């Protein structure tokens, strides 16, 4: 079945998305991204409802984005100053935003929303095409952990709070490096289901995709604070740079 970049936004209402992930503090990410952007413009692939884009704009950066879901982009536009962010609706493997950027961002594991390796390679190439010489492509993603599954299935708590419980149910398909997942949000007013599929990749595979796009890895951290990445790291923030022309 062809990849549909708008599918995620149709299955998960934008307001439910905002509520489910409201507990995520963007402060460390924004601080790191401001430093990496070096004052230049930023393009966010999968900009969503603006969790990172809006605070980056508040810090004085020019921000644009690509978003597959018109519903998500519509909610962004309704937020304070959201209408100042240029958003192109489309698949971020091929869609272009006019101009060149100091930084392209793909956060919150969204690289894994693409259906296969070919699409992920195309995403790296599209990111490189948006970058100025010396510009950076930043990816935030989890490290695959097949050992967390038993008989190909897993159920784990994502957040447990007095007013909300967020669980994730997942099935593993290792032959294709895919996961079928649904987050289950339980609140006093009801149950919300947030389905998503993932084509996961290890950090070294992402490094190779970057090389194919003409990018070189500059940094890899365990999180946005810059903690060293190591054997026990469950997430990573990887920074790839477009070479400066001689």
């Amino acid at each position: 079945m062809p990849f549909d970049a708008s599918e995620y936004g149709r299955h998960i209402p934008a307001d439910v998305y905002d509520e489910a992930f409201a507990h995520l503090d963007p402060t460390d990410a924004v601080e790191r991204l401001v430093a990496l952007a070096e004052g230049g413009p930023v393009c966010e692939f999968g900009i969503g409802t603006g969790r990172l884009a809006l605070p980056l704009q508040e810090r004085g950066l020019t921000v644009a984005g690509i978003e597959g879901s018109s519903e998500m982009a519509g909610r962004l536009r309704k937020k304070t100053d959201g209408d100042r962010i240029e958003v192109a609706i489309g698949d971020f493997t091929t869609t272009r935003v006019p101009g060149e950027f100091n930084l392209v961002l793909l956060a919150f594991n969204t690289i894994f929303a693409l259906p296969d390796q070919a699409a992920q390679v195309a995403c790296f190439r599209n990111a490189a095409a948006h970058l100025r010489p010396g510009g950076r492509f930043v990816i935030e993603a989890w490290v695959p952990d097949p050992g967390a599954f038993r008989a190909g299935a897993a159920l784990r708590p994502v957040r447990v709070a007095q007013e909300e419980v967020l669980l994730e149910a997942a099935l593993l398909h290792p032959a294709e490096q895919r996961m079928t997942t649904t987050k289950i949000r339980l609140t006093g007013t009801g149950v919300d289901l947030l389905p998503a599929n993932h084509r996961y990749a290890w950090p070294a595979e992402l490094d190779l995709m970057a090389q194919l796009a003409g990018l070189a890895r500059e940094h890899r951290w365990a999180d946005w604070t810059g903690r060293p990445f190591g054997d026990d790291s469950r997430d990573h923030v990887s920074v790839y740079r477009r070479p400066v022309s001689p």
Side-chain angles (χ1 to χ4, degrees), residues 21 38 87 119 150 163 233:
F21 299 110
E38 298 181 334
V87 179
R150 183 170 181 176
E163 73 283 359
S233 299

Side-chain angles (χ1 to χ4, degrees), residues 28-119:
D28 290 336
V30 170
E31 290 296 328
R32 180 69 57 180
L33 292 166
V34 167
L36 290 171
E38 298 181 334
V42 175
C43 181
E44 183 175 3
F45 287 6
I47 196 169
T49 63
R51 184 178 68 90
L52 295 176
L54 288 169
L56 287 172
Q57 182 175 251
E58 289 173 3
R59 293 290 298 271
L61 297 178
T62 299
V63 182
I66 300 171
E67 174 56 45
S69 166
S70 58
E71 293 87 353
M72 294 280 184
R75 186 166 176 85
L76 166 60
R77 292 189 190 101
K78 292 177 182 176
K79 294 181 179 180
T80 302
D81 292 329
D83 57 352
R84 292 173 47 205
I85 296 176
E86 179 183 359
V87 179
I89 303 299
D91 180 346
F92 55 74
T93 63
T94 56
T95 302
R96 287 295 307 272
V97 175
E100 291 185 324
F101 297 85
N102 273 23
L103 188 145
V104 172
L105 168 64
L106 185 55
F108 204 33
N109 317 307
T110 307
I111 183 67
F112 298 153
L114 296 171
D116 52 38
Q117 186 183 73

Side-chain angles (χ1 to χ4, degrees), residues 106-213:
L106 185 55
F108 204 33
N109 317 307
T110 307
I111 183 67
F112 298 153
L114 296 171
D116 52 38
Q117 186 183 73
Q120 291 168 350
V121 169
C123 173
F124 271 83
R125 287 179 172 146
N126 195 30
H130 280 82
L131 289 174
R132 295 172 174 169
R136 295 177 169 102
F137 181 33
V138 183
I139 287 182
E140 176 194 19
W142 38 260
V143 178
D145 185 15
F149 290 76
R150 183 170 181 176
L155 178 66
R156 70 180 183 95
V158 176
R159 181 172 188 256
V160 179
Q162 185 173 352
E163 73 283 359
E164 175 192 57
V165 173
L166 187 63
L167 308 172
E168 182 179 69
L171 297 176
L172 185 68
H173 314 285
E176 297 177 331
Q177 290 183 208
R178 287 193 307 105
M179 285 172 50
T180 302
T181 69
T182 295
K183 286 187 172 63
I184 305 137
R185 180 173 178 256
L186 309 170
T187 67
T189 59
V191 179
D192 294 306
L193 300 179
L194 291 72
N197 295 319
H198 301 91
R199 191 276 170 182
Y200 59 87
W202 276 266
E205 187 180 358
L206 297 178
D207 290 350
L208 183 56
M209 294 180 193
Q211 291 180 40
L212 293 172

